[in-house]
Amino acid sequence: MPQTTSTPRGDLSTALKPLHPSARTVWMIKMMLFGSILILLALVYDVTSIFRDERLLPLGLATGVAIVITVLFGVVFPRLWYRFWRYALRDEVLFLERGVFNRVRTVVPLRRIQHLDVSQDIIEREFDLGKLIVHTAGTRSSDVVLPGLDFEEAERLRDELKNFILEDTI
């Protein structure tokens, strides 16, 4: 039997765990890399349109917008994403809560889990983070991803969920 704590009905959102603090840094790095590409493309547009009389945008506008978007998504949003991401493993459900503007609360019945993955990309590997991917029965949007976990925690959760699945089928 998985080691989980039971909560009163309707009280799933109490005692939710935050993600690992390095998740913020990983998200910032990924957003800054994407923003760097956006800034580079805007600079290419500005440089190639310096001598054109008919420009689609005034010089520097595209680059300025790209810089603002990069700072917004590279610095501000990762902090907000981290602030509102929480999870908990209960007796028979995995509970996730996230969302800056739209709050999403997901309850994954453990009996619906088909299989589990733990993955790391190259940036997450540097911070020893991983993500737990829970594949549930269903067709569309049937995968639930829990990002920003300490890699050992991701593997521990996977094993705990696996044990529940194996015991439930007996």
Side-chain angles (χ1 to χ4, degrees):
M1 186 79 182
Q3 294 180 349
T4 57
T5 58
S6 69
T7 57
R9 184 173 230 176
D11 197 19
L12 285 172
S13 63
T14 59
L16 296 175
K17 292 182 179 178
L19 301 178
H20 192 279
S22 295
R24 267 186 312 232
T25 307
V26 168
W27 289 338
M28 284 180 178
I29 291 170
K30 289 179 179 178
M31 289 293 115
M32 289 299 210
L33 288 172
F34 175 75
S36 299
I37 294 170
L38 192 65
I39 291 170
L40 186 66
L41 291 173
L43 282 172
V44 167
Y45 169 79
D46 282 342
V47 169
T48 57
S49 62
I50 285 177
F51 299 109
R52 286 190 201 157
D53 292 333
E54 295 179 21
R55 291 182 205 108
L56 191 61
L57 299 171
L59 274 181
L61 181 65
T63 304
V65 170
I67 290 171
V68 169
I69 289 172
T70 300
V71 169
L72 194 64
F73 281 91
V75 176
V76 176
F77 276 102
R79 293 172 191 263
L80 291 173
W81 293 330
Y82 177 78
R83 183 174 175 194
F84 295 110
W85 242 112
R86 300 279 185 265
Y87 71 97
L89 180 60
R90 300 288 186 238
D91 286 340
E92 295 188 2
V93 296
L94 176 64
F95 185 77
L96 310 172
E97 184 177 278
R98 62 197 176 282
V100 175
F101 299 113
N102 295 326
R103 195 66 40 91
V104 178
R105 293 184 174 125
T106 304
V107 177
V108 180
L110 300 186
R111 295 174 198 264
R112 302 275 298 172
I113 294 175
Q114 296 291 308
H115 64 277
L116 304 156
D117 294 322
V118 173
S119 75
Q120 279 183 312
D121 61 33
I122 194 165
I123 298 171
E124 291 170 333
R125 202 174 313 149
E126 287 300 314
F127 290 88
D128 201 28
L129 293 182
K131 63 183 105 176
L132 177 67
I133 304 166
V134 179
H135 303 275
T136 61
T139 54
R140 190 167 174 224
S141 302
S142 59
D143 296 342
V144 176
V145 178
L146 181 53
L149 297 172
D150 179 73
F151 192 72
E152 289 181 14
E153 172 71 4
E155 289 187 321
R156 187 193 65 75
L157 273 173
R158 180 200 57 203
D159 293 342
E160 196 168 331
L161 292 171
K162 180 189 76 178
N163 289 338
F164 179 87
I165 294 168
L166 294 176
E167 288 178 8
D168 190 49
T169 56
I170 295 175

